[in-house]
Amino acid sequence: MHNLTRKQLNILLLILCTIAVLIVLVCGITLHKNGEAPLDSGSFSEFEDSWVLVDDIHGDSAISLPYDTGRASGELVTITHRVPEKIDDNSVLYFRTEFQAVEVKINDIIVYSYGVDEKRPFGKAPVPVYHMVGIGEEYSGGNISIIFESGYDKYSGEIPVISYGNRGDILYSIWRENAFIFIMSILLVIFSIAAAIIWIFMGRH
């Protein structure tokens, strides 16, 4: 590095910064696409069909997931189904939402909530997140209700793909699908450290 001219160091720093920006963009696009699609594994099942969209005004209707209800921001969206029969205590529902609060009830008992608190029942500014909801053997065949709400028109009314299966298998599948992002994040850290070292070296010369 002592033999590099200041111009060469500037070029090297620019290259490192450009690579870092590209990594961030690629990671963001990849993560967003992963969230839209069901997981690719034979160890758990898609839970897409025969959901019921609850509508007190126009009447309930059967839907398949994913589904966009077209609801405005702040409106609650409720879907219902029967809990699968063949489950055990390691079974979970899996889905991903973006900027939506979520509440899950089985037999009218709240078993999971995200972005919900006592002061603001559906207004805790939730962010994009993976949800894994335990549906142990005790809930087999029960009635499940999932309530969605978003404060943003873009995300309001969106119901994602839902899958169910073994918790460990789903965690492994999520890791496998996002391994590329993890590796790119490590590279981004390395590039950032390298850029900082070069910047310090340039300041001293």
Side-chain angles (χ1 to χ4, degrees), residues 30-38 94-98 130 160-161 177:
T30 304
L31 180 62
H32 181 72
K33 287 185 176 180
N34 280 348
E36 292 177 343
Y94 162 82
F95 55 98
R96 181 181 186 274
T97 59
E98 294 188 335
Y130 293 102
V161 170
E177 288 193 356

Side-chain angles (χ1 to χ4, degrees), residues 1-13 16 190-205:
M1 184 175 289
H2 287 283
N3 296 323
L4 295 176
T5 66
R6 188 175 184 85
K7 181 178 180 180
Q8 290 173 324
L9 288 173
N10 283 331
I11 293 174
L12 180 59
L13 182 60
L16 289 175
I190 294 173
F191 283 136
S192 299
I193 294 173
I197 293 173
I198 293 173
W199 182 263
I200 293 172
F201 178 82
M202 290 171 57
R204 291 180 178 178
H205 295 77

Side-chain angles (χ1 to χ4, degrees), residues 76-135:
L76 300 184
V77 175
T78 303
I79 58 174
T80 64
H81 208 297
R82 300 280 292 181
V83 177
E85 298 284 349
K86 296 181 180 180
I87 59 175
D88 56 37
D89 288 337
N90 291 318
S91 297
V92 295
L93 288 181
Y94 162 82
F95 55 98
R96 181 181 186 274
T97 59
E98 294 188 335
F99 300 101
Q100 294 195 70
V102 176
E103 186 172 81
V104 181
K105 296 180 180 179
I106 299 180
N107 297 331
D108 293 326
I109 299 172
I110 298 174
V111 297
Y112 175 86
S113 64
Y114 172 77
V116 178
D117 62 20
E118 294 180 357
K119 293 183 179 179
R120 295 167 294 179
F122 277 96
K124 201 179 176 182
V127 298
V129 67
Y130 293 102
H131 304 275
M132 285 192 293
V133 183
I135 49 171

Side-chain angles (χ1 to χ4, degrees), residues 2 7 24-25 47 52 68 74 125 138 175-176 185 189 192 196-197 204:
H2 287 283
K7 181 178 180 180
V24 171
L25 291 175
F47 198 29
V52 175
D68 188 351
E138 63 180 301
W175 178 86
R176 187 183 62 189
S185 298
V189 171
S192 299
I197 293 173
R204 291 180 178 178

